Amino acid sequence: MGCPKALVDSERILTRLRAEGYEVAASYGAADLVVVNTCGFIDAAVDESLDAIGEALAENGKVIVTGCLGAQPQKILDRHPQVLKITGPQRYEEVVASVHEHLPPKHEPYLDLIPAQGVKLTPRHYAYLKISEGCNHRCSFCIIPSMRGDLVSRPIGEVLREAEQLVKAGVKEILVISQDTSAYGVDLKYAAQPWRDAERRARFYDLAAALGELGAWIRLHYVYPYPHVDKVVELMADGHVLPYLDIPFQHASARILKLMKRPAAAEDTLERIAAWRRIVPDITIRSTFIVGFPGETEHDFEQLLEWLRVAQLDRVGCFEYSPVEGAAANALPQKPVAEEIKQERRARFMELSAEISAQRLARKVDRKMRVLIDAIEGDSAIARSASDAPEIDGTVRIQGGGRLKVGDFADVRITGSGAYDLEARLENQS
């Protein structure tokens, strides 16, 4: 449950269990035991996680709980005292040990075969690559550092070998994720390791450049706009990584950003966005925002809308502020924003963002574009362009593309556009 980082945690647990002879069951009834990987970031996620645990208990009865909500075990035990075990995030060994305790393995692990790339929960043609755990920021609305700790980067050689194995296994797109991707390696003091007969330093730029050598689509998520990001944008201009940046700006009011303890000023980010577009005119910028933060006035919100009009972001998501247990923002003296005002502001924000998205997508009509096929629906193919991350962004529907194969690249001509999606016809397949 939760974000792609939790998905990667699940993949690591499954890979270990598959190596020991365990199999994944298709239903609760077919399973001997259920592992629930939870999210605990906001109240809605906590409720969803607790409901999932309850469902697993009702349908199966033997449940192990892990993930971010596991860092608050009493909250789980108050609702579901019958769970077998609770572990926090990244506690892979504890999860596996608990599975051993309640469902001993039946097979010899060294005789069982699993895919070289490990067990993946994504389609075969794309995969998430987690490069670090934790975060050094202390944003007032966030409790991730209290659950996952400070930044811990993976050695660059380990990351690149995993990425290389994914590409060898047929992965066409690698989505780089962490809590703070652009801070990668700072805790390692940028230590170098050999890969492909060259020393590679554990820096964001060096990692992006090395991944760009693999020949797959490389998509960068959760990037903070530090100055060194400009050099990575130059890699995009050269075609080494996708011209796509996912940057959580969160707000534009200087007062609200200060209350949030965010590391960037709105004026600086507008200048940076303009500079990136001068380097890569077709760069896609995605972001997420929070409305209704404690103390947010109508003036603060209007500043956010005006910032968005100037920034012209391609893809955005917006959340109504939700007080999370343990977050520093709960102690702010500022007055909470009424629920109906939060809802109204989010609706206004999304209405403006849809207008901007529709205008920007309309400019792509009649352009030739390379896309990656995600699904086939009758005589149409559902694909994504370089501007579209799976599950969160738009799609490209290819009329007459029913004979294409999932995981293939295709060249298309854009024939129509909407608020979030494109339509196209097939030019040729490769």
Side-chain angles (χ1 to χ4, degrees), residues 272-340:
R272 301 288 298 290
I273 290 169
W276 295 335
R277 285 178 171 151
R278 285 193 292 271
I279 298 170
V280 187
D282 286 336
I283 191 171
T284 295
I285 302 175
R286 136 168 287 280
S287 189
T288 51
F289 297 86
I290 297 172
V291 296
F293 191 79
E296 182 190 62
T297 64
E298 181 64 21
H299 177 67
D300 293 321
F301 179 66
E302 287 290 347
Q303 281 186 294
L304 173 58
L305 293 182
E306 183 56 32
W307 184 93
L308 185 60
R309 291 187 186 99
V310 176
Q312 293 284 297
L313 298 188
D314 302 88
R315 308 290 194 190
V316 300
C318 182
F319 301 91
E320 299 168 23
Y321 174 75
S322 172
V324 180
E325 185 178 340
N330 297 341
L332 290 173
Q334 281 72 19
K335 183 179 178 181
V337 178
E339 291 300 321
E340 60 270 21

Side-chain angles (χ1 to χ4, degrees), residues 249-267:
F249 291 119
Q250 305 295 12
H251 214 281
S253 162
R255 191 178 71 87
I256 296 300
L257 287 169
K258 185 176 181 180
L259 290 173
M260 288 180 168
K261 296 187 177 180
R262 295 294 292 169
E267 295 82 3

Side-chain angles (χ1 to χ4, degrees), residues 48 68 148 169 202 263 283 309 349 381 394 416:
E48 184 180 357
C68 289
R148 290 183 173 263
I283 191 171
R309 291 187 186 99
F349 182 93

Side-chain angles (χ1 to χ4, degrees), residues 206-229:
D206 299 72
L207 175 63
L211 290 172
E213 298 176 19
L214 293 173
W217 275 8
I218 306 298
R219 192 179 300 278
L220 304 174
H221 286 275
Y222 310 109
V223 176
Y224 278 77
Y226 303 131
H228 62 269
V229 173

